[in-house]
């Protein structure tokens, strides 16, 4: 919304979850029939970190399949000019070569910790491609790496690693705690993209790209969770110890995206990781999300 508004798009059609339940087929069809949107960014999804995926596997597959089926089908029925579907880097096989090229999709077994979510997202990609083939629609799919930034979910039980660690380390500093617990071994690598960069890439692709091939969106750089912890400690100003809770899962060891396709199209990420974390932390302090 911020990106579209600041780029001058004034006719934005928005519904929040309370106004339109995307799992409800009739409600979605009525919405598309009456509002007739021309361009659709399908960012709505049931998302969460490694623990949420483990605890609520049924919700992750059900809600995502329903949202995708309802929105993609209604977009076709109401002759939407173009739809951009957001997938995820977890759609790729657990053990694939790094950095991950788009063509590795469906070449091997998935990471078990988020398989229901990944399968729902793969269904969304295949739907877009099938509708393009059978109905001549223009539905494109992009695969963002791990996203973070302002307006994220900062609930330590359900969030992804970056917001969880930012909050945990901030709280430890405030309480004068001697240590912070980080899940897993700290050895997995993850790639992080700032939310505004993702929005910018989506707008770029909506304007510049058409086709059935999926497109990765990332920075092309990853780092170890243990190194992410060091950056967050420095930004927050915390000097205590880090303890690794190896009873918690690591998930996949690496999922660095190959972003050559996106670079060739003419887009690359603008925000460095330290800059993005600083912006996120400043926002958390300013809005009072963190005390
Ligand atoms: P993933 O990228 O789908 O595996 O999801 P996450 O962002 O939840 O987790 C990424 C990695 O960070 C995993 O190896 C987690 O075990 C690790 N991690 C370390 N501490 C935390 C934490 O406090 N919360 C979360 N969600 N992950 C953590």
């Amino acid at each position: 919304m911020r990106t579209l508004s600041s780029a001058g798009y004034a006719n934005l059609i928005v519904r929040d979850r309370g106004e339109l339940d995307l799992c409800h087929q009739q409600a979605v069809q009525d919405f598309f029939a009456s509002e007739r949107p021309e361009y659709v960014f399908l960012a709505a999804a049931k998302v969460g970190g490694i623990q949420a995926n483990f605890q609520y596997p049924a919700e992750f597959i059900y809600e995502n399949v329903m949202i995708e089926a309802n929105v993609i089908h209604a977009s076709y029925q109401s002759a939407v000019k173009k739809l951009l579907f957001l997938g995820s880097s977890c759609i790729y096989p657990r053990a694939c070569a790094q950095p991950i090229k788009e063509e590795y999709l469906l070449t091997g077994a998935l990471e078990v910790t988020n398989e229901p979510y990944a399968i729902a997202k793969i269904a969304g990609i295949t739907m877009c491609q099938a509708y393009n083939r059978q109905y001549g629609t223009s539905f494109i799919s992009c695969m963002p790496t791990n996203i973070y930034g302002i307006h994220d979910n900062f609930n330590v039980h359900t969030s992804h690693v970056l917001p969880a660690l930012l909050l945990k380390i901030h709280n430890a500093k405030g309480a004068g705690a001697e240590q912070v617990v980080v899940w897993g071994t700290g050895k997995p690598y993850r790639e992080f993209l700032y939310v505004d960069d993702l929005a910018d890439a989506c707008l770029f692709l909506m304007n510049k790209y058409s086709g059935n091939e999926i497109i990765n969106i990332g920075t092309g750089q990853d780092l170890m969770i243990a190194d992410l912890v060091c950056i967050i400690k420095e930004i927050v100003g915390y000097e205590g110890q880090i303890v690794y809770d190896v009873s918690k899962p690591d998930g996949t060891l690496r999922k660095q995206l190959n972003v050559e396709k996106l670079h060739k199209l003419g887009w690359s990420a603008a925000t460095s990781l330290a800059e993005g974390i600083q912006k996120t932390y400043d926002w958390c302090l300013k809005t009072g999300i963190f005390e």
Side-chain angles (χ1 to χ4, degrees), residues 49-50 114 146 159-161 164 168 182-183 188 190 249-250 255:
I50 196 161
N114 49 29
N146 294 34
S159 74
H160 282 97
V161 59
K168 281 189 196 173
V182 173
W183 298 350
R190 289 293 183 273
D250 269 343
K255 48 176 171 176

Side-chain angles (χ1 to χ4, degrees), residues 88-111 118 122 125-126 129 143 212-216 252 254-261:
S88 162
S89 60
C90 73
I91 56 148
Y92 293 111
R94 175 184 167 76
C96 64
Q98 308 280 324
I100 305 171
K101 291 186 179 165
E102 289 87 349
E103 68 208 44
Y104 300 163
L105 177 62
L106 292 172
T107 57
L110 296 166
E111 158 62 29
I122 293 171
I125 297 168
T126 306
Q129 294 167 336
M143 303 305 123
N212 255 348
E213 288 181 19
I214 62 175
I215 307 282
N216 288 340
T252 190
R254 197 163 198 184
K255 48 176 171 176
Q256 186 191 13
L257 292 180
N258 179 315
V259 285
E260 273 171 27
K261 262 193 191 178

